[in-house]
Amino acid sequence: MTPSFNKVLPVLLLTALHAAGVAAQTSKTAAAKPAPAKSTAYSAAGKQVQVFTTAQGTTQRMAAGSALSFQPSAQPLETQVCVFVDPGHTFQTMLGIGGALTDASAETFAKLPKAQQQEFLKAYYSPTAGIGYTLGRTSIHSSDFSSGSYTYVEDKDAALKTFSVKHDEQFRIPFIKQVMAAASGKLTLYVTPWSPPGWMKTNGEMLHGGKLLPQYRQAWADYYVKFIKTYEQMGIPIWGLSVQNEPMATQKWESCIFTGEDERDFIKGYLGPTLAKGGLGGKKLIAWDHNRDLLFQRASTVLDDPEAAKYVWGIGYHWYETWTGSGMLFDNERRVHEAFPNTNLIFTEGCKEKFDLAKVDDWALGEKYGQSMIGDFNAGTVGWTDWNVLLDETGGPNHVGNFCFAPVIGDTKAGKLIYTSAYYYIGHFSKFIRPGARRVASTTNRDWLQATAYRNPDGKLAVVVMNSGDKPQEFQLWIKGQAAATTSPAHSIATYVVN
């Protein structure tokens, strides 16, 4: 079934896509260095606000509502609920929003009827008929979300003479190329390994952790270069890479342990110089790529060493610190951003685990995304990457049974797509906050209303407001002495676009 953007008009022709592509390639300093606080003249007087709402218990899914108008508003009282936006104070530039193009996604896509394949591509990658994804991640050989473990070389081939991505030519490479076409070529794609080949590791296998053997550090660094160059020769541009997926997790699937010192030394002694020598010094290198809990400790270990830091574009992170019972640790992101303001933060993975087809309609799926995205962007994050863009009716395929949710489920038995609330919650950001947008100051005065705001390259403001409460909330969208009165439905998310 087609995603129900009921009443969605050809929503916002946000025209700065060329500029967005340029922004995606900017240097780490340009992307991350916060602009000095300034108070640029901005007036909402006479402006209209387009409202798009997704709400629990309704048919509203990114539904266009009646336009709002701003009226003069004096100093608000504490009894007046407000979302305050000040476009004169700007922060990080948006790189993009998207999801991972895994083997599992590619295999599920291949099993869908052609009509549903086209529906999927439009739903995710069209900026008008869909939610306009522009960012992607894929694995260097297998991950748990593959049908089996595999590498690109034969055992003990440290010279990489047998290197071949023939495995990927069946599903993943054609899938990525269709995604690129659907995104009009404006896909910022980065790559990540889950494990070196088993023969390069202390435990002799790709699964169950283990560590990279010292004698294979150079061969492993060469492997990244081989992969990137091979994909690019096949017509898939690679924007960047991370060093290792979840480097502190010993998993039953592909995994490899790197301590902070291991990663620091591998970057400065092998991977950074090898990328540079291979003509790939311009690729954006991401460290950590694991949960927020150890985020600052890893960032400081790597970035306090100038010889490692000079190669690092950003610090990636996931949201799975919640497995401990902890909430999402947004303050750890803020500490990294404060301590290392010239290094980018990028969300590299998140999903709801323990798939259950009976729970695809749970509203909590979307609210978790909304909470994370607002918290991450407000903490300084420049890009946000969901995990699998598509999984089948089992939450896979996954060769170790680690079945998970995706925003869109491809029911390969029924030949249809199922859109979860997560798809719409993500869309409230990705559709209306485009690459090249600058985050602007925004606050609320009630904790059940969460908000973030961006000014797009075309000058339009996009303010995302999420109500996690059980009751509707009247509030004023208040901008520099002008206010537009509105109501946020219970358990809803809305994007307010100020023209």
Side-chain angles (χ1 to χ4, degrees):
M1 56 185 291
T2 303
S4 63
F5 299 153
N6 44 331
K7 300 184 184 177
V8 173
L9 309 171
V11 182
L12 302 180
L13 297 174
L14 298 170
T15 57
L17 289 177
H18 173 71
V22 173
Q25 299 295 334
T26 52
S27 70
K28 80 174 188 179
T29 307
K33 190 173 182 179
K38 59 184 183 296
S39 186
T40 303
Y42 180 94
S43 175
K47 295 186 185 296
Q48 294 280 302
V49 184
Q50 293 177 279
V51 187
F52 303 91
T53 304
T54 295
Q56 185 181 33
T58 73
T59 60
Q60 291 180 302
R61 299 294 181 268
M62 300 180 72
S66 300
L68 308 177
S69 298
F70 283 98
Q71 304 295 331
S73 177
Q75 169 66 51
L77 301 174
E78 290 182 323
T79 54
Q80 294 175 291
V81 180
C82 294
V83 172
F84 299 100
V85 178
D86 186 346
H89 296 278
T90 59
F91 306 99
Q92 79 271 20
T93 298
M94 175 62 75
L95 170 68
I97 297 169
L101 308 174
T102 60
D103 286 330
S105 296
E107 291 170 30
T108 301
F109 179 83
K111 293 175 183 176
L112 291 171
K114 293 295 184 184
Q116 279 64 46
Q117 290 180 349
Q118 293 307 306
E119 177 189 331
F120 166 88
L121 293 169
K122 183 183 293 183
Y124 266 125
Y125 296 98
S126 169
T128 51
I131 60 173
Y133 269 14
T134 57
L135 188 60
R137 179 186 187 221
T138 198
S139 64
I140 297 177
H141 56 230
S142 62
S143 72
D144 52 324
F145 279 93
S146 302
S147 292
S149 291
Y150 64 91
T151 72
Y152 301 128
V153 294
E154 295 177 5
D155 283 358
K156 305 297 184 180
D157 178 17
L160 310 184
K161 292 179 180 179
T162 59
F163 190 94
S164 169
V165 297
K166 186 172 180 60
H167 172 280
D168 299 359
E169 293 178 22
Q170 183 177 8
F171 295 115
R172 199 198 320 173
I173 287 172
F175 176 58
I176 292 174
K177 287 185 174 181
Q178 289 192 66
V179 164
M180 288 171 53
S184 300
K186 302 183 186 304
L187 184 71
T188 299
L189 182 66
Y190 63 100
V191 301
T192 302
W194 265 241
S195 172
W199 52 269
M200 290 189 183
K201 295 170 63 185
T202 56
N203 65 344
E205 60 169 325
M206 294 180 71
L207 316 185
H208 307 114
K211 298 185 72 171
L212 177 64
L213 289 164
Q215 63 265 36
Y216 291 121
R217 288 172 182 161
Q218 185 58 56
W220 184 225
D222 292 338
Y223 200 102
Y224 298 75
V225 172
K226 277 275 193 182
F227 177 79
I228 292 170
K229 287 188 173 181
T230 302
Y231 259 51
E232 292 199 326
Q233 287 165 3
M234 300 183 80
I236 300 175
I238 304 299
W239 167 85
L241 67 158
S242 65
V243 179
Q244 168 64 45
N245 180 70
E246 299 185 346
M248 289 307 296
T250 297
Q251 304 283 23
K252 62 182 179 180
W253 54 84
E254 289 84 343
S255 45
C256 184
I257 299 298
F258 280 77
T259 66
E261 293 77 13
D262 291 337
E263 186 171 21
R264 175 198 67 199
D265 294 346
F266 181 62
I267 289 170
K268 71 177 180 179
Y270 297 91
L271 185 55
T274 302
L275 289 167
K277 184 179 178 181
L280 302 179
K283 304 301 182 187
K284 307 301 188 284
L285 183 60
I286 300 164
W288 187 222
D289 204 354
H290 203 167
N291 299 331
R292 300 184 188 98
D293 49 5
L294 301 181
L295 183 66
F296 186 88
Q297 182 269 340
R298 179 57 57 107
S300 61
T301 301
V302 173
L303 298 175
D304 281 341
D305 185 322
E307 291 305 305
K310 69 183 182 182
Y311 294 112
V312 177
W313 172 88
I315 304 294
Y317 64 92
H318 303 178
W319 73 17
Y320 307 112
E321 70 270 17
T322 54
W323 74 269
T324 64
S326 169
M328 295 184 181
L329 299 171
F330 302 118
D331 275 350
N332 289 357
E333 300 172 48
R334 294 186 179 93
R335 296 299 86 78
V336 172
H337 189 56
E338 291 165 354
F340 306 101
N342 294 329
T343 301
N344 295 279
L345 285 167
I346 180 169
F347 183 90
T348 48
E349 184 184 318
C351 74
K352 177 70 171 67
E353 299 159 293
K354 299 180 180 178
F355 180 78
D356 182 349
L357 187 60
K359 295 182 178 180
V360 293
D361 293 327
D362 281 9
W363 204 254
L365 293 173
E367 288 197 332
K368 183 169 185 175
Y369 279 84
Q371 178 193 7
S372 181
M373 296 181 82
I374 290 172
D376 294 332
F377 290 137
N378 287 346
T381 288
V382 303
W384 210 94
T385 326
D386 186 32
W387 190 206
N388 303 276
V389 292
L390 179 70
L391 292 173
D392 68 16
E393 65 278 3
T394 71
N398 185 291
H399 71 89
V400 292
N402 182 34
F403 300 120
C404 296
F405 287 85
V408 179
I409 299 297
D411 187 336
T412 60
K413 293 180 179 178
K416 67 176 184 179
L417 298 176
I418 301 168
Y419 296 85
T420 73
S421 58
Y423 169 82
Y424 297 102
Y425 269 70
I426 297 170
H428 277 275
F429 303 86
S430 61
K431 187 178 185 75
F432 303 106
I433 302 169
R434 303 303 295 168
R438 294 292 298 275
R439 186 170 69 86
V440 303
S442 61
T443 59
T444 77
N445 60 353
R446 299 293 187 274
D447 68 357
W448 53 88
L449 288 185
Q450 299 172 57
T452 193
Y454 281 76
R455 193 169 187 181
N456 279 293
D458 63 0
K460 294 178 181 178
L461 278 177
V463 184
V464 182
V465 178
M466 185 173 100
N467 179 1
S468 58
D470 295 331
K471 298 178 181 179
Q473 178 63 67
E474 295 181 354
F475 74 94
Q476 293 188 63
L477 178 60
W478 197 96
I479 304 177
K480 308 286 284 185
Q482 296 282 324
T486 187
T487 300
S488 176
H491 293 288
S492 72
I493 189 167
T495 306
Y496 298 84
V497 180
V498 183
N499 296 312

